[in-house]
Amino acid sequence: MRVLVPSYGRAGLATTMSLVDCAEIVVPHKQAKEYEQAYPGKVLVIPDCEDGNISKKRNACLNLLKEGELAWMLDDDLLSVDWIKHGKVDDIDQILESHHYLMESCDANFGGFSLTADPVKYFEYQPFSLTKPSYQAVCVRNIPTIRYDEELTRHEDADIFLQFLKHGGKVLRDNRYFFKFQCNADVAKVKQKGGIVGNEDAHQKALDKLVERWGECIKIKNGKMNGIKTPRSGP
């Protein structure tokens, strides 16, 4: 099992690396030295030309995999993992490995975890979902025909989820766990060093393109994206 952590400009600040023992951090060549000093032996270097916005960097991560290989891709600012209703998870590697194994067993190409830590919304009698999205901590298979849209400076994670769901007819989300990341609020994503780039006009263009591509699957509220209505029925 591989765990890839795309990063930029956060050498020594990538909290995911201190929480996930088997993680490898993916950085451009121009920043390799400082990252290697912070995370010796755990740095994967990509050419500077393959770096850029988050979609381009995620594609560079996929290109590091063999065709058909399944691997985790985690944001670099993980804070904690909660087992909803039962408290904090200490062995995050074990959670990732178990879900990776389960995905291989049921031939799933995309998976992840709950989007909320709210126990009221926790699906107590539906521990897994087969049609619901996951973001920030996702397990993806390298299928050459599926890639992140490099024109999207935001919502690239929603687009890739819908691509995988359309391709395979199912995903595998574990509703029992919530991965908490620093970069959650929209304002933080824009201002945080190494976070999502682009002004509001660029983000609006990304949303317009997403709606043009997926139509009513994209929920809009007050002019902002408000989730996904999955095109397939099911849990």
Side-chain angles (χ1 to χ4, degrees), residues 8-45:
Y8 185 92
R10 294 182 188 166
L13 303 175
T15 52
T16 302
M17 299 304 294
S18 62
L19 294 175
V20 182
D21 292 338
C22 65
E24 300 172 280
I25 196 160
V26 182
V27 304
H29 180 268
K30 62 185 177 183
Q31 296 184 355
K33 184 176 180 180
E34 55 190 291
Y35 270 92
E36 185 62 38
Q37 291 175 342
Y39 315 107
K42 293 189 174 185
V43 178
L44 295 177
V45 180

Side-chain angles (χ1 to χ4, degrees), residues 56 142 221:
K56 193 171 183 180
N142 179 18
K221 183 177 182 180

Side-chain angles (χ1 to χ4, degrees), residues 53 149-156 190 196-210 224:
N53 63 39
D149 186 336
E150 295 181 6
E151 292 185 4
L152 295 177
T153 56
R154 186 178 284 190
H155 310 311
E156 81 293 337
V190 175
I196 289 178
V197 298
N199 56 31
E200 287 304 315
D201 286 341
H203 296 156
Q204 185 60 50
K205 289 180 180 178
L207 180 57
D208 291 344
K209 183 172 184 179
L210 204 66
K224 302 292 184 181

Side-chain angles (χ1 to χ4, degrees), residues 133-202:
S134 298
Y135 309 128
Q136 298 184 292
V138 294
C139 198
V140 296
R141 194 178 302 280
N142 179 18
I143 299 175
T145 56
I146 300 180
R147 285 295 185 267
Y148 287 87
D149 186 336
E150 295 181 6
E151 292 185 4
L152 295 177
T153 56
R154 186 178 284 190
H155 310 311
E156 81 293 337
D157 44 9
D159 180 71
I160 201 76
F161 155 71
L162 287 167
Q163 287 189 62
F164 272 107
L165 184 61
K166 179 180 179 181
H167 177 271
K170 69 175 183 296
V171 296
L172 186 62
R173 188 176 84 180
D174 192 330
N175 296 318
R176 300 172 299 172
Y177 300 99
F178 175 71
F179 279 56
K180 182 179 180 181
F181 292 85
Q182 179 68 43
C183 189
N184 287 322
D186 284 347
V187 64
K189 289 181 179 180
V190 175
K191 294 182 178 179
Q192 185 182 27
K193 182 179 180 182
I196 289 178
V197 298
N199 56 31
E200 287 304 315
D201 286 341

